[in-house]
Amino acid sequence: MITASLVKELRERTGAGMMDCKKALEATDGNIEAAIDWLREKGMASAAKKSGRIAAEGTSTVLTEGNTAVILEVNSETDFVAKNEQFVELVKDLAATFLANKPTDLDAALALDLKGQSVSDAVISATATIGEKITLRRLEVVEKSDDEVFGDYIHMGGKISALTVLKGDNAELARDMAMQVASMSPQYVSQKEIPSDIIEKETAIQVEIVKNDADLANKPEQVVNGIIKGRVSKQMQEISLVDQIFFKDGKAKVAQVLKDAGTEVVRFVRYAVGEGIEKREEDFAAEVAKASQVK
């Protein structure tokens, strides 16, 4: 069954029309990832961002000390509550607790002690006191070596947080890289990290796009193959940090900036509040439900 919420999510992630999203889901038996590909193949959507549209409220933050850093996201139901003093204090306490105890996963984090009670109970208590559901959604503890440096950037009060690890001690460039990650949303440090199945999937999508492009119907096979290869390469560059254009320069690629500074990015983590979380919109659901009755 194609639900209104599925249509809504697909519409948000692709920018395609409501009825086109419904058709795509019907053609793919409700598989949203396959539906994204279907829409792209038909030329109805641009490349979907892995993160999707930000849909939940709350905040994210980064805290570093010595060779340890933690990045976390805590969700609330409204942006108003995300600015509540008690909520803000809870997030600070959580970050400090995780930095000190270095939990390996969410379950371990929830079991930690926070001012005489478990983190899980502290979050439940905050929910009861504040009056909205509060959720510790995710966290990651990152370690670096003595010859590396952290860079962090928190955008719009925590709507997006980014953490980078660079070789050497160039703290300013490490922060610049965190800003790059926050603003340009790369998925990998370099194309060498991109799994082969991602490249194969993108190639298959571009092949279908070309098949549906009447302007390319009579082009020589060699030319068409070159176009496909070029488009795939462009997509891979967009999700590769070092292949992006450096935001401060607007001209040089990140790879060149790093080379000139004699350093490299070891890893990065980027959290955008609510990415991938579905937001309920009753009026939109009603709109989809009404549209679904039209034959």
Side-chain angles (χ1 to χ4, degrees):
M1 178 181 177
I2 308 304
T3 64
S5 61
L6 271 178
V7 176
K8 179 196 74 64
E9 182 178 352
L10 183 59
R11 186 185 189 191
E12 288 180 344
R13 291 182 63 180
T14 64
M18 183 174 63
M19 294 309 297
D20 288 333
C21 288
K22 185 171 182 291
K23 290 177 183 177
L25 287 165
E26 288 173 344
T28 57
D29 296 323
N31 184 316
I32 196 161
E33 297 301 329
I36 290 172
D37 294 344
W38 189 93
L39 285 168
R40 289 190 62 204
E41 290 167 1
K42 298 296 185 291
M44 298 176 185
S46 59
K49 298 297 183 183
K50 187 177 180 181
S51 61
R53 180 177 170 180
I54 293 175
E57 301 300 339
T59 193
S60 63
T61 194
V62 181
L63 185 62
T64 66
E65 183 177 318
N67 285 344
T68 305
V70 64
I71 180 169
L72 66 149
E73 176 185 351
V74 182
N75 293 132
S76 60
E77 293 181 46
T78 65
D79 186 55
F80 178 78
V81 163
K83 298 173 183 176
N84 175 282
E85 184 177 343
Q86 184 180 349
F87 180 87
V88 172
E89 192 63 29
L90 172 65
V91 173
K92 289 181 179 178
D93 288 342
L94 290 173
T97 298
F98 300 152
L99 189 68
N101 292 277
K102 305 178 184 179
T104 55
D105 56 34
L106 189 58
D107 288 339
L110 290 169
L112 290 173
D113 178 79
L114 177 60
K115 297 182 177 179
Q117 60 182 329
S118 69
V119 166
S120 179
D121 287 343
V123 172
I124 292 172
S125 178
T127 296
T129 304
I130 295 173
E132 277 192 14
K133 183 177 180 180
I134 308 300
T135 306
L136 170 61
R137 185 187 180 202
R138 54 181 172 168
L139 77 149
E140 186 165 348
V141 177
V142 177
E143 300 279 5
K144 72 172 184 66
S145 61
D146 291 335
D147 63 347
E148 296 171 342
V149 62
F150 285 129
D152 63 84
Y153 177 68
I154 300 173
H155 183 62
M156 293 179 62
K159 288 298 183 184
I160 299 174
S161 290
L163 172 68
T164 57
V165 180
L166 263 66
K167 288 287 187 182
D169 59 359
N170 194 331
E172 181 180 355
L173 184 56
R175 177 173 169 77
D176 284 346
M177 287 300 109
M179 294 177 72
Q180 178 83 23
V181 167
S183 62
M184 302 305 293
S185 190
Q187 296 175 32
Y188 304 92
V189 172
S190 70
Q191 292 189 54
K192 292 185 294 185
E193 296 183 357
I194 302 177
S196 59
D197 62 320
I198 298 295
I199 299 173
E200 291 167 2
K201 179 180 178 181
E202 183 61 33
T203 300
I205 289 172
Q206 293 301 333
V207 167
E208 290 302 315
I209 290 175
V210 167
K211 286 181 180 178
N212 288 296
D213 190 337
D215 292 336
L216 299 176
N218 298 317
K219 296 286 185 181
E221 183 179 355
Q222 185 177 356
V223 173
V224 172
N225 289 338
I227 291 172
I228 292 171
K229 184 177 180 180
R231 289 179 177 178
V232 172
S233 176
K234 184 174 183 295
Q235 290 292 338
M236 296 306 104
Q237 289 180 49
E238 289 181 358
I239 62 175
S240 166
L241 172 61
V242 298
D243 289 309
Q244 293 179 345
I245 299 299
F246 185 42
F247 78 99
K248 272 191 170 181
D249 179 278
K251 298 177 181 178
K253 286 192 174 184
V254 169
Q256 188 61 52
V257 173
L258 294 169
K259 182 179 180 180
D260 291 345
T263 186
E264 62 183 85
V265 175
V266 178
R267 65 171 301 192
F268 67 81
V269 183
R270 180 186 188 274
Y271 282 179
V273 172
E275 57 188 351
I277 296 179
E278 188 174 284
K279 188 174 184 180
R280 294 172 182 167
E281 299 176 10
E282 293 183 2
D283 55 340
F284 180 80
E287 178 188 0
V288 175
K290 181 178 180 180
S292 66
Q293 298 173 3
V294 179
K295 303 297 183 180

